[in-house]
Amino acid sequence: METMFAQPIIPADDSSVTDDVDAFVKQICEVIVGKNHAVKLAVACLLARGHLLIEDIPGVGKTTLSQALARSLALAFQRIQFTSDLLPADILGNSIFDRDEQRFVFHRGPLFSQVVLIDEVNRATPKTQSALLEAMEEHHISIDGVTYELPEPFFVVATQNPQTAVGTFPLPESQLDRFLMRIELGVPERASERAMLLGMDRREMLKELKPVISPRTLIEIQDNVRKVHASAALLDYLQDLLDASRQRHNPGLSPRAGLALLHASQAWALMNGRDMVLPEDIQAIGITVMGHRLGHDIEQPGQSGRTLADNLLHSVPVP
Amino acid sequence: MSNSRNSRRTQQWRDTTIPRRPLLWLAAALLFTLPALLGTLASWVPFLFLFALVLKFWMEPRGYRLRSTSLKLILMALTLGAIFLSYNTLKGIEPAVSLLTVLVSLKILEAHTAREFQVMVTMAWVLCLCGFLLSQDLAIAFCLFVAFALLIAALVQFHRGSSPGAFWLPLATTLKLVAQAAPVVVLLFLLFPRINTGFQFRIGDLHAAMTGFSDRLSPGGIEMLANSSDIAFRAEFPDRRTRPAGPMYWRGLVMWHCEGLEWRAPYAPASISDSSRQYPASDKAIRQRITIAPHGARWMFALDRPFGIPSGAMLARGNYLYSVQPIRKSRRYEVLSSTDPIGKELGARERREALQLPASISPAVRELAGSLAARNSGPRATVASALQFFRTQGFRYSLSPGEYNKNDLDEFLFRRRTGFCEHYAASFATLMRLAGIPARVVVGYLGGEYNDLGGFFLVRQADTHAWCEVWIPENGWTRIDPTTAVAPDRASLDLSSFLAGRIASGEMATGRTAFVTQLARLPLVNQIRLIWEALNYQWDTRVLAFDADVQDVLLTSLGLTNSGPFPLVMQVLIVVSALLIIYAGWMQLQTRPRADRIQALYERYCQKLARIGVQRDPWEGPSDFAKRAAQSLPNASECVRQITETYIALRYAPGPTAISLDKFAKEIDAVTAHR
């Protein structure tokens, strides 16, 4: 959402924060041409400490986007390609017997990283998918009775093909709920596509990307996001949305979804230079936050979650 | 088994304690009820009360309290016996109030549960009520009001529990409660029917021998009053310009019966018939509004010679006001007076009475009276020479002339020659009668202190004065004040300042300490005293004097006809409930959440824009709507931007904003102007 006002209504405390974020968004947009809104949403998800699910057909730049995010942040980056024969130990790590020391030593898997790109998350079996659960929610991993903390910040970007594609295991609801947002990139516009065709090779561009935000700054910004003010009136609106979803759909939005809406809209407000959340912020992130959570309505099986979320946003009045 | 039984026993016997702070508030409240009761209680009861309070504060932290039933019974019997011994009866208000206070004292020692705390507060409220029953004085009322407020504070603090809070928090809550109750109190005060049931507490009788003079002027009687600062009455002159120029002689009663140095008023004076009354020229009439303090007798006061008679009074022979009922409560009346001598003709019976003399008059006095009369021809000359006699023969004015008996006329006139107004008035009138001039003694008040703030004269018992009236054929009854012959200042000053002057010049020694006199002369103290007296006057005349009659006048002026108590009660109930409903509605409106008002204003703005042509979708956020409205209404874009900015700041911004709702409302009101 672009605000109509030249000046932010109430300037955020620290304008350098928005400058950093702007530079960050700008750099990624140079790589992913013509997808400004999707990029901003992805950044908002990151700032809200959420995990991101990118769903689209192959070849629209899902992997490129997640790589661009990781490289611009100077964070440790790991990529895991999910396949149907992938086992939990492959991503979490293994205890291997060390002959010299006469004991088992834990070898950390690829999940021990800061930005983890999980390609084609719905290709793996549910067993492996659920191994992600603890890591995503709790930011730690328990193996053989030992708990290993994951590094901070920890950010999972998962991509998946539309579930109509052959050979996929749809993500269970519990796991979908753990993704703050699900975004779609879609086919670029004609002009954007032309720019891409004419421009540099994307892989070269990714290599040349310089970190824009230090990990410490990122954590600071993430802390600031939680401080963005949500007034009583705004919370009323948020709860109206939750109530409406529970009345119309089965199941409706969970309390975790409510928190997700709040945090994502806080991040969105901060990115727009405000220190308070407006109903427009919720509406801006609403479809991406609610869409994947409403896609499993047992009473309306044919409806896509995005449509249901859109209907909600266009029917619940702003109090 | 026995273990569990033990624990249950301890459970049962485990005491609760009353927290210290509510107890403090309660103790303070109880202390404030004490002044109202002090005059009524048996002398030992206040000490028991205070002792119980102090003891409670010692006992409570240690967990001690009055537990044994037999001890309680013994204490009860002891105190009952003590009250009986103090009054010789248990019937009547005084023993009852004492008993109640004693019971409260014992309850203080016993109480330890929440319920008993409530009981104590209720009993303290009953004590407040008793206090009001006994006295409605402003100072007492103030004390009881403080006690009342402190009791609410005690309850607030008690129900606050152990939650921390500043010391003044319960007070703030109390003040809020009191302020909220105030309109209802005022309404009830004005409208609650004062039904006269004929039932009356005879509390006036308790203070037997009430203040003021009696119908007997005996040597030394006024001397006792001279040191009393009690209020006799307060007088206003509604027509300020007719305030008399000379000294103000307030007529109380007229004494006809002479016994030498002692004079008496008739027990049941005859009234002057309407036909024989004299009405002076109306421009010489002085209107006074007098608020009389209860004195238990029946005379009422008025300047010089009253002729307009207030209701419930008659004009007694001797031209003084005489109430039909004894004056047991404060009373207010208007009366007209003239300062001119009065009387056309002296009837034979009156002349006989005005010349009556006791047989015990000594030859020496008769000789003196004869010499005063013989030297001169007319009564005027006789009066003048009698005054001359007082002036030149070394008479002295003194408040402590020593004791005289009623037959000590010789002693006063020839030997001691020291006395007070009553001695001079009595002896002068007796001399006049001996000289054949009809004479009588008038007792009343002289002067009074003017209160600038209240615009009234305050006359105290200390201003009591006695003077004479003699019959001069061409004039009628003429006032002669022999005291002025001896102490010329006396008439122009009130007694206390006159005496203070005497003390200052060393002419008089008195028991009054110089310190108090000096203190009273400080301007600040004097000013405070005047303010207090003015307040008291307002309290007496506006609050206490608001009785059934005044209420009747008020109700009639409001259009409520008084047709008996029951319809009145109904009418009042209807009016009060209607007012309460209005008040409740208003409060509801006032306390409506700020957020609702912001929302209502914003909706008004949206309706206005809808009328112009831009309809807001219910799900549209303010910023989106503003964008859309600005596009379709370019002229109003600035105004829309401003309103939206204010609205967002009011509704979504963190923390309190300085933006006032009125400003927001004005911005919205201006919307149509832009179109």
Side-chain angles (χ1 to χ4, degrees):
Chain A
M1 185 208 74
E2 266 123 314
T3 169
M4 69 174 283
F5 311 114
Q7 294 290 316
I9 291 161
I10 291 175
D13 304 340
D14 191 359
S15 60
S16 71
V17 169
T18 42
D19 290 348
D20 284 347
V21 175
D22 284 348
F24 181 51
V25 172
K26 197 167 161 249
Q27 178 163 319
I28 297 168
C29 284
E30 280 170 12
V31 183
I32 315 286
V33 185
K35 293 286 164 202
N36 286 13
H37 191 64
V39 169
K40 275 186 84 177
L41 283 169
V43 172
C45 181
L46 173 66
L47 298 186
R49 290 200 181 118
H51 304 295
L52 180 66
L53 180 63
I54 308 174
E55 180 181 281
D56 223 318
I57 51 167
V60 290
K62 301 192 289 284
T63 313
T64 314
L65 171 61
S66 49
Q67 283 197 355
L69 282 173
R71 285 183 192 274
S72 304
L73 288 169
L75 295 177
F77 175 73
Q78 280 286 351
R79 179 187 163 148
I80 313 170
Q81 178 69 46
F82 271 28
T83 55
S84 53
D85 58 353
L86 196 77
L87 291 174
D90 295 337
I91 58 167
L92 302 179
N94 271 316
S95 287
I96 295 169
F97 190 75
D98 186 320
R99 209 175 289 169
D100 296 342
E101 294 191 25
Q102 292 290 309
R103 63 181 184 89
F104 283 95
V105 175
F106 181 68
H107 285 257
R108 298 180 175 209
L111 206 56
F112 286 87
S113 193
Q114 286 178 310
V115 176
V116 180
L117 169 61
I118 296 171
D119 239 348
E120 300 195 80
V121 68
N122 56 348
R123 293 239 172 252
T125 55
K127 185 181 177 186
T128 310
Q129 285 173 357
S130 58
L132 276 173
L133 281 179
E134 189 190 0
M136 286 171 68
E137 188 68 17
E138 320 278 337
H139 288 206
H140 57 68
I141 288 167
S142 300
I143 292 170
D144 298 337
V146 185
T147 303
Y148 300 95
E149 291 292 331
L150 290 171
E152 288 290 337
F154 178 70
F155 180 46
V156 173
V157 185
T159 68
Q160 70 172 9
N161 294 322
Q163 283 162 12
T164 49
V166 184
T168 57
F169 298 92
L171 282 175
E173 282 165 48
S174 59
Q175 192 138 6
L176 277 175
D177 205 22
R178 279 162 171 76
F179 285 102
L180 184 76
M181 287 185 186
R182 181 182 67 178
I183 62 173
E184 289 171 12
L185 287 173
V187 181
E189 286 167 24
R190 198 179 169 81
S192 306
E193 199 163 16
R194 173 69 67 90
M196 191 196 77
L197 293 170
L198 286 174
M200 276 173 74
D201 180 34
R202 297 296 126 175
R203 253 172 230 124
E204 293 299 317
M205 281 178 84
L206 282 176
K207 273 180 197 160
E208 283 172 17
L209 282 182
K210 297 276 178 300
V212 180
I213 297 178
S214 69
R216 181 184 288 176
T217 316
L218 177 64
I219 290 177
E220 249 173 54
I221 297 174
Q222 285 177 335
D223 287 341
N224 282 341
V225 162
R226 298 291 162 98
K227 287 180 201 151
V228 171
H229 181 72
S231 69
L234 181 104
L235 293 177
D236 282 344
Y237 175 58
L238 200 156
Q239 285 188 294
D240 287 352
L241 278 175
L242 296 179
D243 287 346
S245 81
R246 284 161 199 165
Q247 278 166 22
R248 296 181 202 175
H249 308 301
N250 187 14
L253 292 171
S254 65
R256 187 179 9 223
L259 278 173
L261 273 175
L262 177 64
H263 295 156
S265 56
Q266 281 175 321
W268 194 259
L270 186 88
M271 287 171 70
N272 285 292
R274 265 183 281 104
D275 62 348
M276 59 187 163
V277 186
L278 295 185
E280 284 87 338
D281 295 323
I282 292 186
Q283 289 166 357
I285 50 91
I287 291 178
T288 56
V289 174
M290 296 189 289
H292 58 294
R293 293 179 162 96
L294 291 172
H296 301 271
D297 195 328
I298 53 176
E299 285 158 20
Q300 294 157 289
Q303 296 274 19
S304 91
R306 295 180 72 89
T307 318
L308 296 179
D310 196 50
N311 288 345
L312 268 182
L313 291 174
H314 279 93
S315 57
V316 176
V318 174
Chain B
M1 178 65 198
S2 74
N3 204 0
S4 78
R5 232 181 108 163
N6 264 348
S7 74
R8 199 185 310 147
R9 264 187 84 85
T10 45
Q11 190 75 24
Q12 195 183 347
W13 281 100
R14 205 188 63 197
D15 289 327
T16 49
T17 54
I18 297 171
R20 194 179 169 77
R21 272 203 190 166
L23 202 61
L24 270 172
W25 287 114
L26 179 69
L30 286 171
L31 283 181
F32 270 95
T33 58
L34 209 51
L37 307 171
L38 218 49
T40 315
L41 296 175
S43 53
W44 54 274
V45 176
F47 293 106
L48 176 74
F49 186 70
L50 293 176
F51 177 68
L53 269 182
V54 172
L55 202 59
K56 180 70 178 174
F57 277 101
W58 181 78
M59 284 160 71
E60 195 64 24
R62 289 166 181 77
Y64 301 151
R65 61 182 53 95
L66 215 54
R67 284 207 185 85
S68 137
T69 314
S70 46
L71 183 61
K72 285 183 211 168
L73 284 175
I74 289 169
L75 278 175
M76 192 64 242
L78 278 178
T79 46
L80 259 179
I83 289 172
F84 184 78
L85 284 180
S86 306
Y87 293 102
N88 282 325
T89 175
L90 285 177
K91 283 202 292 184
I93 285 180
E94 284 187 307
V97 172
S98 285
L99 183 64
L100 191 66
T101 315
V102 165
L103 286 179
V104 172
S105 314
L106 294 181
K107 187 75 196 169
I108 291 170
L109 296 181
E110 186 199 9
H112 63 100
T113 62
R115 187 184 152 276
E116 280 169 316
F117 183 80
Q118 303 270 17
V119 169
M120 284 206 293
V121 171
T122 313
M123 286 176 80
W125 257 315
V126 173
L127 284 185
C128 281
L129 261 179
C130 285
F132 264 126
L133 212 63
L134 297 170
S135 163
Q136 295 93 40
D137 191 62
L138 180 60
I140 297 291
F142 181 73
C143 274
L144 290 176
F145 175 75
V146 171
F148 188 85
L150 286 174
L151 283 176
I152 300 177
L155 276 182
V156 171
Q157 181 81 72
F158 188 71
H159 288 283
R160 198 171 273 275
S162 54
S163 72
F167 192 68
W168 51 267
L169 267 177
L171 261 192
T173 313
T174 302
L175 288 181
K176 213 188 285 174
L177 284 172
V178 169
Q180 281 167 348
V184 183
V185 170
V186 170
L187 265 182
L188 284 178
F189 174 76
L190 291 177
L191 298 179
F192 195 83
R194 282 151 174 78
I195 300 165
N196 209 341
T197 53
F199 174 75
Q200 225 177 344
F201 287 105
R202 285 307 185 94
I203 294 165
D205 286 352
L206 297 176
H207 309 288
M210 285 189 53
T211 51
F213 45 76
S214 66
D215 57 353
R216 188 177 284 268
L217 182 72
S218 51
I222 289 178
E223 186 190 328
M224 275 159 56
L225 292 173
N227 284 322
S228 160
S229 61
D230 285 349
I231 294 165
F233 62 90
R234 283 162 290 197
E236 270 182 273
F237 296 97
D239 320 318
R240 281 294 300 276
R241 57 196 166 76
T242 55
R243 202 217 124 176
M248 291 184 295
Y249 282 87
W250 303 96
R251 199 183 195 81
L253 75 164
V254 172
M255 298 183 171
W256 296 88
H257 187 82
C258 167
E259 282 174 37
L261 214 47
E262 180 176 302
W263 285 66
R264 243 182 329 111
Y267 178 68
S271 78
I272 299 179
S273 63
D274 237 15
S275 56
S276 60
R277 241 194 276 165
Q278 256 187 321
Y279 293 96
S282 61
D283 60 319
K284 290 208 173 160
I286 299 167
R287 200 143 64 87
Q288 310 132 67
R289 191 177 293 144
I290 290 175
T291 312
I292 192 167
H295 54 65
R298 288 162 64 169
W299 40 84
M300 291 156 73
F301 308 102
L303 212 53
D304 275 325
R305 287 167 191 87
F307 56 90
I309 305 169
S311 67
M314 64 175 192
L315 200 59
R317 213 156 48 78
N319 274 85
Y320 62 99
L321 294 174
Y322 198 75
S323 168
V324 178
Q325 293 286 329
I327 297 163
R328 294 191 193 282
K329 59 172 195 164
S330 180
R331 184 154 150 195
R332 198 169 203 218
Y333 55 88
E334 266 196 24
V335 64
L336 285 167
S337 293
S338 97
T339 45
D340 295 338
I342 208 161
K344 286 176 283 190
E345 220 166 76
L346 198 60
R349 188 183 149 212
E350 223 171 276
R351 173 175 289 274
R352 201 171 56 244
E353 273 186 48
L355 286 170
Q356 167 271 336
L357 280 166
S360 58
I361 302 274
S362 69
V365 177
R366 281 178 195 280
E367 195 187 322
L368 171 67
S371 71
L372 291 172
R375 256 185 270 150
N376 301 284
S377 44
R380 281 177 187 281
T382 311
V383 167
S385 59
L387 289 176
Q388 189 64 22
F389 170 75
F390 280 125
R391 206 172 289 132
T392 55
Q393 295 300 311
F395 280 90
R396 283 201 305 122
Y397 184 91
S398 169
L399 260 185
S400 42
E403 294 227 341
Y404 288 101
N405 277 325
K406 66 177 178 181
N407 292 322
D408 279 352
L409 200 56
D410 295 47
E411 170 80 14
F412 173 69
L413 283 175
F414 302 120
R415 282 181 283 281
R416 232 184 286 171
R417 292 189 170 172
T418 303
F420 203 57
C421 60
E422 56 189 358
H423 304 100
Y424 291 103
S427 56
F428 183 83
T430 311
L431 282 177
M432 284 303 106
R433 283 189 178 184
L434 284 169
I437 302 170
R440 59 194 189 189
V441 171
V442 186
V443 181
Y445 296 91
L446 176 59
E449 184 187 18
Y450 186 64
N451 189 316
D452 243 344
L453 295 153
F456 61 89
F457 282 90
L458 192 144
V459 181
R460 300 177 182 282
Q461 294 300 348
D463 298 321
T464 306
H465 192 58
W467 61 95
C468 302
E469 280 182 338
V470 293
W471 179 263
I472 292 169
E474 58 269 33
N475 247 358
W477 287 108
T478 310
R479 181 179 69 219
I480 306 291
D481 187 354
T483 313
T484 51
V486 182
D489 308 344
R490 173 65 186 95
S492 54
L493 294 168
D494 62 294
L495 186 65
S496 41
S497 44
F498 169 76
L499 290 176
R502 282 289 179 106
I503 293 163
S505 58
E507 287 178 50
M508 258 180 76
T510 178
R512 232 189 195 188
T513 55
F515 173 71
V516 175
T517 322
Q518 287 305 313
L519 195 69
R521 294 187 150 245
L522 284 177
L524 181 70
V525 175
N526 203 39
Q527 191 65 22
I528 291 170
R529 188 175 59 85
L530 286 179
I531 291 171
W532 176 248
E533 278 164 5
L535 272 178
N536 243 308
Y537 183 60
Q538 294 300 323
W539 172 258
D540 283 0
T541 53
R542 302 210 185 266
V543 180
L544 294 187
F546 191 86
D547 55 9
D549 298 336
V550 186
Q551 191 186 34
D552 213 32
V553 172
L554 176 80
L555 290 181
T556 317
S557 72
L558 285 177
L560 295 167
T561 46
N562 193 356
S563 45
F566 185 69
L568 179 66
V569 171
M570 289 313 291
Q571 283 171 337
V572 165
L573 275 181
I574 290 167
V575 170
V576 167
S577 42
L579 287 175
L580 276 178
I581 287 167
I582 293 170
Y583 176 72
W586 185 69
M587 287 304 285
Q588 182 70 31
L589 221 69
Q590 281 300 298
T591 53
R592 196 167 58 148
R594 189 175 151 90
D596 284 5
R597 291 170 64 198
I598 297 169
Q599 189 56 17
L601 285 170
Y602 184 66
E603 264 157 29
R604 213 166 84 205
Y605 151 78
C606 291
Q607 280 166 10
K608 282 189 167 187
L609 284 194
R611 248 175 275 144
I612 301 173
V614 187
Q615 180 92 36
R616 184 178 84 97
D617 293 322
W619 53 85
E620 203 168 14
S623 172
D624 284 349
F625 176 54
K627 221 186 296 177
R628 202 158 56 81
Q631 272 166 12
S632 44
L633 301 169
N635 290 340
S637 67
E638 180 56 26
C639 155
V640 164
R641 192 188 71 86
Q642 188 141 17
I643 287 175
T644 307
E645 247 177 53
T646 314
Y647 174 65
I648 286 174
L650 280 169
R651 199 154 160 78
Y652 296 105
T657 53
I659 304 164
S660 80
L661 283 185
D662 296 338
K663 184 182 157 252
F664 186 41
K666 259 181 214 145
E667 283 177 6
I668 286 169
D669 285 341
V671 166
T672 38
H674 278 268
R675 179 67 179 178

